[in-house]
Amino acid sequence: MIDTNLLKSDPKKIAKQLISRNYQLDIQQYESLEKKRKKHQTETEELQARRNLLSKEYGALKKEGTEDKTLNKKIEILKKDLDNCSKKLADIQSSLKDFLLDIPNIPADSTPIGKSEEDNIKIRDFGKPNISGGKDHLDITSLINIDVGNILAGSRFAVLIGKIAKLHRALICFMLDKAAEHGYEEYYLPMIANTQSLTSTGQLPKFSEDLFQLTDDYYLIPTAEVPLTNIYRDQIIQLSDLPFKMTAHTTCFRSEAGSYGKDTRGLIRQHQFEKVELVQICHPNKSFDALETLTSHAESILQELNLPYQVVELCSSDLGFSSAKTYDLEAWIPSQETFREISSCSNCTDFQARRAKIRFKEDGISHFVHTLNGSALAAGRTLIALIENYFDQKNTISIPNVLQDYTKFKTIEV
RNA sequence: GGAGAGAUGGCAGAGCGGUUGAAUGCACUGGUCUUGAAAACCAGCAAGGGGGCAACUCCUUCCAGGGUUCGAAUCCCUGUCUCUCCGCCA
């Protein structure tokens, strides 16, 4: 949620900033709702104050054993007015809340303005991509079986077998250990979240169609960012305890509504995938530095795996709903002869903190923290990158040294 | 699934339907004392929102949502969660 004080003081500026990410802010609607809210709130509160006063009077009289007919009549009328007024207020407040929950985060000043992903900016790269192409992961090994996934569940599900399943698991363990080295505390989490958690991080109410919903208040999580960030929901944190650095491996579930026909082949876009997530909760004036280090933590994994990648800074229109600034890490996928997103590291500033009411106190005043998250990394896509980049184009996938302690084998013969 | 108990401020823990936004203790902050610290003593200390240039003032909140009442932390109903016992069980 964006800061309503900003919205009140300079709505045109906010509107302009939001235009850069393709969001049309309806200032008129906001101001009209806000005006009504103020009117009804003042009115309701005045009536409440009067009620409290009259009730005291009534009580005092009752103690004496006397009764005042005109007072009773006054109270009766007041109750009706109050009832009316507070109902209207509740309606307006709920509309106002819906309006505010719909507005995306404001892009950071440093986020480049752009109209599409074409305007994203490459910041740096690592390694030499093999531009001569190559077989794709499904052609390389039959230990990834899409057909069985289809039988068991449906499209966009896969089954990993034998050494590939082990390699996949090794990757996750390696990533968690790297996160620990960088000072992140490991969590094991529920992979189901409720409406409130998903609203806090920004998936709801706007993007419900992207989620798998189980029942009324149960959804499968699309990322560990949701439970990790919500750990501190509704809390006032001791300043001295900040920052929090947390990591978790979870399965992630995405309905991929709206991406029909996109990335239909192979493991690249599945309904279910594994991911190790990094989350930081920090002081507002440290969050942009924290984004740089968090991104470097994610990068270190690609570096140790010696996978060619590039770091791309997303432009305003390509930002996720909750993010003010995002770096995508894109790994080289030989068969596609292109870089594909393998991690997305975002500074959500106070946007999620405001929704989740995560605060800290400084000099007696409470402020919202800043929250950051990033994948380190998406395991399924890392697996693809590994298989394709480490395939000798004949019959052997070699295992990077850093993973051999985990896999206990050095090659996969296919 | 059955039976019972509970949910109050950062934490622990009181609380008769009306001077209770809430006793008390701990923690925390400031001060006195001390070479410094500790102890002791004194003072302060919930959150969110409205109005006002301001001093200030008003409203809401004691798990959530309804209800009873002139008035609810306190009474009633529903839901959620926690704990104890029984049953079942990875």
Side-chain angles (χ1 to χ4, degrees), chain A residues 292-310:
Chain A
E292 300 302 321
T293 57
L294 186 146
T295 306
S296 77
H297 294 151
E299 280 180 73
S300 73
I301 292 166
L302 287 165
Q303 288 167 12
E304 292 207 24
L305 294 174
N306 204 24
L307 290 170
Y309 72 89
Q310 61 181 21

Side-chain angles (χ1 to χ4, degrees), chain A residues 240-341:
Chain A
S240 56
D241 289 341
L242 290 176
F244 293 119
K245 294 167 78 181
M246 302 172 277
T247 187
H249 153 238
T250 66
T251 309
C252 303
F253 301 91
R254 300 188 180 177
S255 74
E256 296 298 341
S259 44
Y260 302 111
K262 207 192 218 174
D263 297 319
T264 49
R265 185 176 163 81
L267 280 189
I268 200 98
R269 192 176 296 278
Q270 297 276 293
H271 284 312
Q272 172 187 321
F273 61 96
E274 305 303 304
K275 183 158 64 66
V276 172
E277 184 78 0
L278 306 177
V279 163
Q280 288 199 35
I281 294 181
C282 72
H283 190 283
N285 62 27
K286 303 228 170 82
S287 66
F288 285 97
D289 288 342
L291 178 62
E292 300 302 321
T293 57
L294 186 146
T295 306
S296 77
H297 294 151
E299 280 180 73
S300 73
I301 292 166
L302 287 165
Q303 288 167 12
E304 292 207 24
L305 294 174
N306 204 24
L307 290 170
Y309 72 89
Q310 61 181 21
V311 181
V312 167
E313 183 171 11
L314 297 192
C315 75
S316 54
S317 68
D318 213 20
L319 284 178
F321 183 72
S322 300
S323 177
K325 183 183 178 80
T326 296
Y327 292 115
D328 272 5
L329 269 47
E330 300 176 343
W332 181 254
I333 304 295
S335 65
Q336 298 191 0
E337 295 182 38
T338 188
F339 291 96
R340 294 300 305 259
E341 179 188 334

Side-chain angles (χ1 to χ4, degrees), chain A residues 185 187 227-237 241 244-246 281 356-359 369:
Chain A
E185 177 143 55
Y187 284 77
L228 280 178
T229 307
N230 273 279
I231 287 172
Y232 289 99
R233 190 172 75 216
D234 287 317
Q235 292 199 35
I236 299 174
I237 296 159
D241 289 341
F244 293 119
K245 294 167 78 181
M246 302 172 277
I281 294 181
K357 298 193 176 67
I358 309 173
R359 292 151 295 173
V369 298

